[in-house]
Amino acid sequence: PDEASVPSRVPLLVLDSISGLVVTANMITIGLAADLPHQAGVFDAVDTGFACFFIFEFICKLFFNGFGRYFCGSDRCWNLFDALIVFTSCIDVIFYMSQVRVTGGSQDSLIRMTKLVRFTRLMRMGRVLRLRIFKELVLMTKGVVAGMRTLLWAIILLFFIVYILAVVARQTIGSHRIETNDAYGTVLFSDLLWSIFMFFRI
């Protein structure tokens, strides 16, 4: 990058460092909130603070990078994910403020909606993958995703072999109705599905 762009990147580097700490703290509070439901009000207030930080971070990055570079640059996938998190965070804040102000029967339906919105907080845990310390984990995840196609064909090949063996066993051994010496009087390879299951166990 040119020298003129270096000063504008310094705030972003500082913001990324702070964001890493905030994301880690948010992960810890999400776990604690699951074990301490009687402190839900406290964790809701804390989580609203995290949501406000994520909104502030999004605005700062949009300001320093510009709209086009932010959504069309090399990190556009992560940035779109951040934008989705900010959108759900805004909804989370709105529901929390509404829950504080609303009283009476209408609050029950609002609480139910708030519980649904809380599930979107789990998406924030995905932001931890952006931290540099998890670079190897991201590479490993990409390798697993890339290998899913090969794994799928391996499973199909395995099923094809099992199916052929099951058909052969059904037409040969199964036609003689050989019973085993168990309590159920099981007949070996009595039907095709049972034959497939037996070979799959082997």
Side-chain angles (χ1 to χ4, degrees):
D2 54 7
E3 295 182 358
S5 63
V6 172
S8 63
R9 292 181 57 86
V10 173
L12 291 178
L13 295 176
V14 175
L15 188 62
D16 285 339
S17 301
I18 298 175
S19 178
L21 296 176
V22 174
V23 170
T24 304
N26 194 196
M27 288 181 58
I28 295 173
T29 56
I30 289 175
L32 292 176
D35 275 346
L36 301 173
H38 57 283
Q39 298 289 341
V42 176
F43 285 109
D44 284 342
V46 172
D47 206 81
T48 301
F50 286 126
C52 292
F53 173 82
F54 293 139
I55 295 171
F56 171 76
E57 179 195 16
F58 175 76
I59 294 173
C60 289
K61 287 185 176 181
L62 201 61
F63 174 78
F64 284 107
N65 289 320
F67 188 88
R69 182 180 177 184
Y70 188 79
F71 287 106
C72 300
S74 57
D75 293 334
R76 57 184 177 275
C77 293
W78 277 116
N79 293 335
L80 288 173
F81 179 69
D82 285 347
L84 179 61
I85 290 178
V86 168
F87 176 74
T88 57
S89 298
C90 291
I91 297 177
D92 196 2
V93 172
I94 292 172
F95 271 91
Y96 174 74
M97 298 303 295
S98 301
Q99 183 179 346
V100 170
R101 296 180 180 180
V102 175
T103 58
S106 59
Q107 189 176 15
D108 296 334
S109 59
L110 187 61
I111 290 176
R112 287 193 293 268
M113 291 295 296
T114 304
K115 289 181 179 180
L116 294 176
V117 174
R118 283 177 183 171
F119 286 108
T120 62
R121 298 177 183 177
L122 299 177
M123 296 173 56
R124 301 178 192 172
M125 299 178 68
R127 297 198 62 198
V128 75
L129 296 177
R130 294 197 67 173
L131 302 180
R132 291 185 179 89
I133 193 174
F134 292 102
K135 182 179 179 180
E136 288 78 10
L137 177 60
V138 174
L139 293 176
M140 185 181 68
T141 305
K142 290 181 178 179
V144 171
V145 173
M148 289 299 293
R149 183 177 179 181
T150 304
L151 180 61
L152 176 61
W153 284 112
I155 294 174
I156 293 175
L157 176 62
L158 176 63
F159 178 79
F160 184 70
I161 295 173
V162 169
Y163 181 79
I164 292 176
L165 293 175
V167 171
V168 172
R170 177 69 183 93
Q171 293 179 350
T172 54
I173 303 176
S175 61
H176 298 288
R177 297 192 60 82
I178 301 175
E179 295 186 4
T180 59
N181 295 324
D182 58 5
Y184 305 100
T186 304
V187 179
L188 293 178
F189 308 107
S190 58
D191 57 66
L192 183 59
L193 291 178
W194 181 246
S195 301
I196 292 175
F197 176 72
M198 292 187 68
F199 275 104
F200 181 76
R201 290 182 61 186
I202 295 174

